Amino acid sequence: MSDTLVTPLQWATPAAWVDAVATDRIALLSDHAHCELKAAASAQALIAKNTKRPELIKELLKIAHEELEHFGRVVSIIEARGGCLAPVSGNRYAGELLRRGVSGRSPHLLDRLLVAALIEARSLERFRLLADHLEDEELSALYADLLTSEASHRAFFLDAAKKNFSEEEVSSELERFAAVEAEVIRELPFDHLVHSGPPPEG
Ligand SMILES: [Fe+2]
Ligand SMILES: [Fe+2]
């Protein structure tokens, strides 16, 4: 499947990540469910911080609904497989990305929009790998089905950045944050998580 949208990612996850993560599918699904829940919570937090931007609120509300719907779908699959949603993991990916990206100052709207766009872009990349390489009909269908929605979220956060900030600022900050994202994801250890580090070699 080809990606017709331009990805801002500066490091490509190897396909071997799928084989490694597929060894504990309930753990992967559980982390995935928490990612959806956190995406809904982040959209709501952005609404609360931007009460004077009605257009942004409308779109964020739509995203929050979609992420909660994804959460419900993933939890249903976990339960149908005899598992249950694990407690939230301490994955450092999103927190590290924002912390290193802003390096000491308070995050502002552009930081949050670009971080959200990069998280969506990385999720989308991993969902596409899972859709294409996972030998599990139900899960590869789930990931294939989520691609359109997550691609539209990535596009929304990038467009929102462009609508609210100058083109020069968005492109230089996006490049800077994308470099931080590539550094963070490559440094993380491998685990059965959507945003884990590179697969073990060999
Ligand atoms: Fe989602
Ligand atoms: Fe999303």
Side-chain angles (χ1 to χ4, degrees):
M1 191 183 302
S2 70
D3 186 358
T4 50
L5 294 166
V6 178
T7 179
L9 299 179
Q10 294 187 8
W11 177 71
T13 302
W17 176 84
V18 174
D19 297 330
V21 89
T23 57
D24 191 342
R25 294 171 201 190
I26 293 292
L28 171 68
L29 287 166
S30 205
D31 177 68
H32 175 183
H34 281 294
C35 288
E36 301 287 5
L37 200 55
K38 285 181 209 162
S42 300
Q44 291 172 76
L46 262 179
I47 291 173
K49 285 187 171 69
N50 291 280
T51 51
K52 296 203 166 71
R53 298 178 197 262
E55 280 308 306
L56 192 66
I57 290 175
K58 207 165 90 189
E59 291 300 318
L60 287 167
L61 182 59
K62 207 172 115 207
I63 289 177
H65 276 288
E66 285 178 10
E67 304 294 26
L68 280 179
E69 195 262 327
H70 298 167
F71 169 75
R73 280 174 69 181
V74 179
V75 170
S76 300
I77 294 176
I78 293 171
E79 287 172 357
R81 290 182 176 219
C84 62
L85 183 64
V88 65
S89 77
N91 191 5
R92 308 193 312 272
Y93 171 71
E96 273 296 295
L97 173 51
L98 184 64
R99 192 183 65 75
R100 287 195 209 179
V102 301
S103 67
R105 61 176 170 77
S106 299
H108 56 66
L109 179 60
L110 181 58
D111 303 316
R112 293 188 189 280
L113 292 173
L114 295 180
V115 164
L118 284 162
I119 295 172
E120 293 283 357
R122 183 61 70 189
S123 306
L124 181 64
E125 183 220 33
R126 299 234 159 147
F127 289 0
R128 176 165 292 116
L129 283 174
L130 290 163
D132 290 349
H133 301 287
L134 196 59
E135 288 182 22
D136 184 316
E137 215 172 297
E138 181 185 37
L139 295 193
S140 62
L142 166 77
Y143 287 109
D145 200 49
L146 290 176
L147 293 178
T148 314
S149 165
E150 305 302 1
S152 79
H153 297 167
R154 181 186 63 182
F156 161 74
F157 286 115
L158 288 175
D159 284 351
K162 286 173 194 159
K163 276 183 194 150
N164 288 282
F165 299 91
S166 76
E167 206 173 321
E168 298 73 42
E169 195 179 5
V170 172
S171 65
S172 75
E173 282 296 271
L174 179 59
E175 185 148 343
R176 195 176 64 75
F177 268 99
V180 173
E181 194 278 342
E183 183 184 278
V184 169
I185 197 88
R186 291 177 77 179
E187 279 177 23
L188 284 171
F190 173 76
D191 204 344
H192 299 91
L193 307 170
V194 175
H195 301 116
S196 57
E201 285 185 22

